[in-house]
Amino acid sequence: MKKLLITGAAGALGRAMRPRLAGLAETLRFSDIGAMEPAGPNEECIRCDLGDAAAVHDLVAGCDGIIHLGGVSVEDKFSKILHANLLGLYNLYEAARAHGQPRILFASSNHTVGFYRQDEHIDATAPMRPDGLYGVSKCFGEHLARMYFEKFGQETALVRIGSCLEKPSNHRMLSSWMSYNDFKLLIECVFRAPMLGCPVVWGVSNNDSRWWDNSHAAYLGWKPQDNAEIYRAELDAALGKPDPKAALHVYQGGNFVNDPIFEED
Amino acid sequence: MKKLLITGAAGALGRAMRPRLAGLAETLRFSDIGAMEPAGPNEECIRCDLGDAAAVHDLVAGCDGIIHLGGVSVEDKFSKILHANLLGLYNLYEAARAHGQPRILFASSNHTVGFYRQDEHIDATAPMRPDGLYGVSKCFGEHLARMYFEKFGQETALVRIGSCLEKPSNHRMLSSWMSYNDFKLLIECVFRAPMLGCPVVWGVSNNDSRWWDNSHAAYLGWKPQDNAEIYRAELDAALGKPDPKAALHVYQGGNFVNDPIFEED
Amino acid sequence: MKKLLITGAAGALGRAMRPRLAGLAETLRFSDIGAMEPAGPNEECIRCDLGDAAAVHDLVAGCDGIIHLGGVSVEDKFSKILHANLLGLYNLYEAARAHGQPRILFASSNHTVGFYRQDEHIDATAPMRPDGLYGVSKCFGEHLARMYFEKFGQETALVRIGSCLEKPSNHRMLSSWMSYNDFKLLIECVFRAPMLGCPVVWGVSNNDSRWWDNSHAAYLGWKPQDNAEIYRAELDAALGKPDPKAALHVYQGGNFVNDPIFEED
Amino acid sequence: MKKLLITGAAGALGRAMRPRLAGLAETLRFSDIGAMEPAGPNEECIRCDLGDAAAVHDLVAGCDGIIHLGGVSVEDKFSKILHANLLGLYNLYEAARAHGQPRILFASSNHTVGFYRQDEHIDATAPMRPDGLYGVSKCFGEHLARMYFEKFGQETALVRIGSCLEKPSNHRMLSSWMSYNDFKLLIECVFRAPMLGCPVVWGVSNNDSRWWDNSHAAYLGWKPQDNAEIYRAELDAALGKPDPKAALHVYQGGNFVNDPIFEED
Amino acid sequence: MKKLLITGAAGALGRAMRPRLAGLAETLRFSDIGAMEPAGPNEECIRCDLGDAAAVHDLVAGCDGIIHLGGVSVEDKFSKILHANLLGLYNLYEAARAHGQPRILFASSNHTVGFYRQDEHIDATAPMRPDGLYGVSKCFGEHLARMYFEKFGQETALVRIGSCLEKPSNHRMLSSWMSYNDFKLLIECVFRAPMLGCPVVWGVSNNDSRWWDNSHAAYLGWKPQDNAEIYRAELDAALGKPDPKAALHVYQGGNFVNDPIFEED
Amino acid sequence: MKKLLITGAAGALGRAMRPRLAGLAETLRFSDIGAMEPAGPNEECIRCDLGDAAAVHDLVAGCDGIIHLGGVSVEDKFSKILHANLLGLYNLYEAARAHGQPRILFASSNHTVGFYRQDEHIDATAPMRPDGLYGVSKCFGEHLARMYFEKFGQETALVRIGSCLEKPSNHRMLSSWMSYNDFKLLIECVFRAPMLGCPVVWGVSNNDSRWWDNSHAAYLGWKPQDNAEIYRAELDAALGKPDPKAALHVYQGGNFVNDPIFEED
């Protein structure tokens, strides 16, 4: 690729992935509403509010690939979600449509299906069951992307990220964890696939205890290498025996199912 | 019911249904952003912008049932859809949550699945395939409703209305038409069911050529009585032989699949 | 048929069906552990404890059809269920095997699936979810019958009776009711079918609000004629608005899900 | 339609349908390898061997619809099936491709699925299980039609005819019978549908005991009116109690499953 | 765990597993109706007839986990199966309910599905097809466990053991074999899972030729390590070419499908 | 095996496999319509036109296994396909029936499903969607084989070969490639399986990007060892970035979907 745009670059996931993306494109264009580390060689850094259509239009110009990590990434007030995740995503897709439809990797979320129980095994055809407003906004995003695909041919990978962290920090993540390296491998697969289409991909490592079935997306050739299982003993020692009745261990969305609706100011 | 709220009362469907709803509740509260016919006996009329949270809060107070026909009902600028169908729906559900969770009938749409072809037969588990921004907003609405159901127990009937008109006006509607009387019968079923849950219901009459399968919702006891078939000869005479390649006759969403993204001012 | 055996003839359902079965066979042999009305023309009445293998062996001799209504038909102590529904059923199938394998209609029950919710629509492939020891005994019965079918060719109709009464007596039965006449029609279909096999059949009338799908058994040609819907107004008047949170209106098995395990003496 | 071609016009089904098709098109062109009744008003009769590509090419010229009943219609020597049903069908589709792709109704057969048992309920997605060389030739035909549809847009209704006779002549046909009038209604639906696609349609009346599910093709608007059930008493009287072990009553294909491979001369 | 109860400890499987379970709990309580090896350190041995409710009540007291291998484990007289597998299991679940619902691993069996053919691949949703009275008793056990789960929250792993032996002893076991070590790993997974629920788990090693799909239970994190394939050459040499028509090689239940009903004394 | 027949031995695949099959049987009988390499030790070479029934009859005599690679293997004139793939296959099955029904491995093809897109993941139950006359002939072959299985017990493995070559030569083959060695392993599994039945097997290596699911055929114990992924860099270097709109990268059948119908002479 000539130029790859990464939104949400100042967020936790964006910062973690930034050094791992070098080499994916001649230029990496990082963007966030907040402050980012200064641009290094072959990097650009552009601050941008996703709710600002004109700014997003300019941001996308010249890019032939987009990794969209931007927007609100946890439960929050609806006004904020509306601005960043609903309006912001629309702005992004309109900008992409105006600029030749670069392929998009959209960071969707396991919170689109958070109300499934952890003893349920689901694939990409399972009806969505979002666990909060954030999850609903990701459902919206997946459907917006699908509409742009069917109507205009815009390709998107709808990556339902589980828990993308350095390592699992509780027992739920023994199932939901995706390592940074496996995410990197997935990104490579998404942008190298001859035809992408608009698939849901479960963003999860090769964990022994995973809940999700990616076999429909085998054509991408993604083979995650890591397995959260190696952290089990460490978690057992640190956290003790998990409470089988706690939402954290009952629902795929974990504690999100107990989040309230956040009050507006 | 004591008081039933009907939003979107000044729209075409709202106006058509208004006289048919008498007797469903002691008081009918009609609402719209636009002007309505004056209130008759046992009626109230309240103008309200769905995007105004406080106004919606007041509107819902005292109601033990809601028929939500309000919002943008065709393809339009995203800013308008965002205001009425995304923010507006959130406001409605928050108001319902604040006021004892009256049962809701949400007017969803066949445009949530508009990209299926007319020779496909689908049921409520078919993945959504919206045909425009309007359809995407209805997908959002269905997921928001489901989240409020799973999280708070709010019951909603997600009625994917086909073509609710006096009678079919083109060949596509021989499949998608729902008569006003069948809609009335459905409304009665939704509000009388001992337990509603949060089902998708295809809003379609008993048409010989229907595409949609409602058997999963048989527990509601809805038996639509009308059949668009009786209008076929009339349509044949008026419109001639339908073009098999036209979007109107290829896609379940008809011409909506060809609608452009409307430009903002 | 020459001789048709009906067990459980002194039970409520047995008594109701007895006059309706005249003409199905040259002789009707009624049986129960308790006292029955005296035998009329073309009738025999034989008292028999299903747990007594020798007695059951004699009971089945000479019969070319069996309607097995006998055994415990509500939640009860396990010792009683064990005797009548587990041992008793084994005795019946052994007797049938010894006597030429007369076709059997086994009165199974909706309580094999009582934990499904009333807004779920299921067919015969849905995994069993019994709601008590009685329901578990009917699961046992269905599997015993299937084993005798696959191993020995014994044909059985596994009729999961909903609520077979004169008329519905609560709102749940608007969905689960089977009229006596529809049961009679089903019995005729079961014994006249050229090949029966070992199908599950949902024993339910043509109710608007039914939960169960019999389309897999269409080959039997059963068309139930009655519809519980005609009793709705009467029930509404008598019982008022049903409580949406009551087990009676939430679960397909109704109040059975709340039955305790009955203590042995 | 201007001109409708009906092949196989001298066969039993062709002769029965001929008078019922008047009015479907301005001209009806009947064809067969054998002798036909002379042409009446608005009729043409053309003898044609389907294995003769040039003759078939001419036969199709000028037609805007085809009902293809021609070819071998029972188990026969492979050489005859090869000529009429494999080569003949290829010739027909090539002729249609050369002449503007008139819509085709292809008389497929229940013998594509003849090895299913009569207590199995199947829909159009059930894998084919042909019961002889004739059935295999109809599988070939369905796949040939599908390929022409996907590759060239040629529309075909793949009508799996059950037993299309004046009335049922054995107990199997209580399930498989299609009345002449219901076939006529289906033909009308196939040629009037705005978009046909390439659906499988089970050619069966509204029999109480039918095995096949046409709900996927509801969009055609076909509502068969007849029910073989009315002939049951007559068949019972004439034929006595059916043998439950006979292939006629075990398999959907009936006695065809016992047909040998016919020896070539 | 503090104390783990293992029933059936004097049986072949119980004896094989006994040394492998050390370390799973502070105390291992072994039980059987027959004589066991004397208790070693951290072990208890208690003789108990599962059909004796009071004895089972005492047996379960103080345990926080149960591995239920007890009962009849092959085809036998119904009276014996009734006593040990039906009454005995009820006694066990009642005892567990009285003592805080310790998690249970129930040794179910492949004979719940023994009539599937070996060229069929099934998962946990496949309808049961038991191959004898023993298999029927295991179906009963699975449904009893499910009822206690849905009604009272009792968790059970329903482990359908294939062939748990030192090594495969015939060609069928190349598919059905579970090594002792893989069973031990499964036991660990069952008792460590934060939430168990009530899943079916196919008790089979990672055999190249396995018939069963455990992907629905991936959340347990069980990764069997052994593969029966390594014994193929040895079996080929010892047994020669297997007879493709023998029940042993046709049915998943192998020779059990040919077992007769055992006569009572 | 005593004698294994391999048809199509002079074709590309036949020539590649010939040296790899030594040891599978005491004698290998190679056949083709064209010239073959001379027979080596334990080999026979017999020229044979598959369309010649008598010659095929003799060819099969004495064989206890058949690998049928013969016939037309690419898009061609229908007359040639008719002769070799339709008539030729019938001749082969009749010869097998006359000679004790030796087990057959039939080289079917991915072109039976060529119209699926490359972002679709399918298993053996997916309805066939052939991409040309060649594909249709392979559909015919699979159904012919199934009929001989259900009617006469003839076992066949229906191997839908992807791209069986030395190594992948374009990006599509990163998904569809089967190595020669993996084909050899499959052949061994097919002929050693105690019971084969008549399964579809996707002939594809363990490629990261495969489209097809073989889990239903796990009972054969085939574990392909190779992975096309190792050739990706080489293909990227040689061919550059693949065109996402080219049929080669859109359809599972690749360029075959664009092949015309070949004109007869």
Side-chain angles (χ1 to χ4, degrees), chain A residues 78 82 90 97 115 128-133 136 139-140 143-144 146-147 150-151 256-257 259 261, chain B residues 78 82 90 97 115 128-133 136 139-140 143-144 146-147 150-151 256-257 259 261:
Chain A
F78 185 67
L82 180 85
Y90 167 75
R97 189 163 69 93
F115 267 107
M128 289 167 165
R129 300 176 64 183
D131 57 22
L133 294 171
V136 171
C139 297
F140 168 89
H143 292 304
L144 188 80
R146 173 153 293 276
M147 187 270 286
E150 303 223 59
K151 204 155 191 161
F256 274 57
V257 305
D259 275 337
I261 303 294
Chain B
F78 185 66
L82 180 85
Y90 167 74
R97 189 163 69 93
F115 266 107
M128 290 167 165
R129 300 176 65 183
D131 56 22
L133 294 172
V136 172
C139 297
F140 168 90
H143 292 305
L144 188 80
R146 172 154 293 275
M147 186 270 284
E150 302 223 57
K151 204 156 191 160
F256 275 56
V257 306
D259 275 336
I261 303 293

Side-chain angles (χ1 to χ4, degrees), chain C:
Chain C
M1 283 183 285
K2 289 265 172 19
K3 189 171 289 189
L4 176 64
L5 170 64
I6 301 97
T7 68
L13 183 54
R15 292 196 314 273
M17 295 308 294
R18 182 164 168 179
R20 290 175 167 87
L21 300 178
L24 262 183
E26 294 172 16
T27 306
L28 296 174
R29 175 178 287 178
F30 294 99
S31 170
D32 205 288
I33 196 171
M36 294 164 279
E37 295 291 311
N42 306 319
E43 292 189 343
E44 299 172 2
C45 288
I46 301 177
R47 290 184 70 162
C48 176
D49 176 355
L50 292 166
D52 178 341
V56 174
H57 180 93
D58 292 346
L59 183 68
V60 168
C63 296
D64 45 2
I66 302 175
I67 299 175
H68 182 53
L69 308 177
V72 175
S73 63
V74 290
E75 199 62 18
D76 207 329
K77 288 172 199 149
F78 185 67
S79 56
K80 295 186 66 171
I81 289 171
L82 180 85
H83 184 78
N85 292 18
L86 305 183
L87 176 57
L89 200 73
Y90 167 74
N91 287 340
L92 187 80
Y93 274 80
E94 277 300 282
R97 190 162 69 92
H99 294 296
Q101 302 193 144
R103 191 171 281 186
I104 299 175
L105 184 157
F106 169 55
S108 184
S109 167
N110 71 82
H111 296 289
T112 54
V113 296
F115 267 108
Y116 284 95
R117 291 197 324 279
Q118 296 187 10
D119 58 354
E120 293 180 287
H121 182 77
I122 60 177
D123 65 21
T125 66
M128 289 167 165
R129 300 176 64 183
D131 56 22
L133 294 171
Y134 166 66
V136 171
S137 79
K138 291 301 184 183
C139 297
F140 168 89
E142 292 194 11
H143 292 304
L144 188 80
R146 172 154 294 276
M147 187 269 287
Y148 274 87
F149 174 62
E150 302 222 59
K151 203 155 192 161
F152 304 115
Q154 167 71 53
E155 294 189 310
T156 304
L158 307 164
V159 181
R160 291 186 183 163
I161 295 175
S163 307
C164 198
L165 297 170
E166 184 67 34
K167 61 182 188 177
S169 60
N170 60 40
H171 284 87
R172 170 178 171 269
M173 295 188 195
L174 292 172
S175 297
S176 63
W177 182 63
M178 175 165 63
S179 72
Y180 292 140
N181 192 53
D182 280 338
F183 190 21
K184 181 196 160 194
L185 294 175
L186 173 55
I187 290 168
E188 289 171 356
C189 291
V190 164
F191 288 101
R192 85 167 184 220
M195 180 184 58
L196 174 61
C198 189
V200 168
V201 184
W202 300 97
V204 66
S205 281
N206 188 28
N207 306 325
D208 285 358
S209 312
R210 68 195 172 286
W211 309 311
W212 303 317
D213 183 347
N214 261 331
S215 53
H216 66 286
Y219 70 98
L220 296 176
W222 183 42
K223 302 270 277 194
Q225 302 297 316
D226 294 308
N227 187 336
E229 194 63 23
I230 60 171
Y231 298 101
R232 186 182 294 273
E234 185 178 325
L235 286 170
D236 283 349
L239 301 175
K241 199 173 170 56
D243 172 4
K245 301 281 174 70
L248 185 63
H249 303 121
V250 172
Y251 293 102
Q252 296 193 0
N255 289 330
F256 274 56
V257 305
N258 286 336
D259 275 337
I261 303 294
F262 282 43
E263 290 200 32
E264 302 289 331
D265 299 320

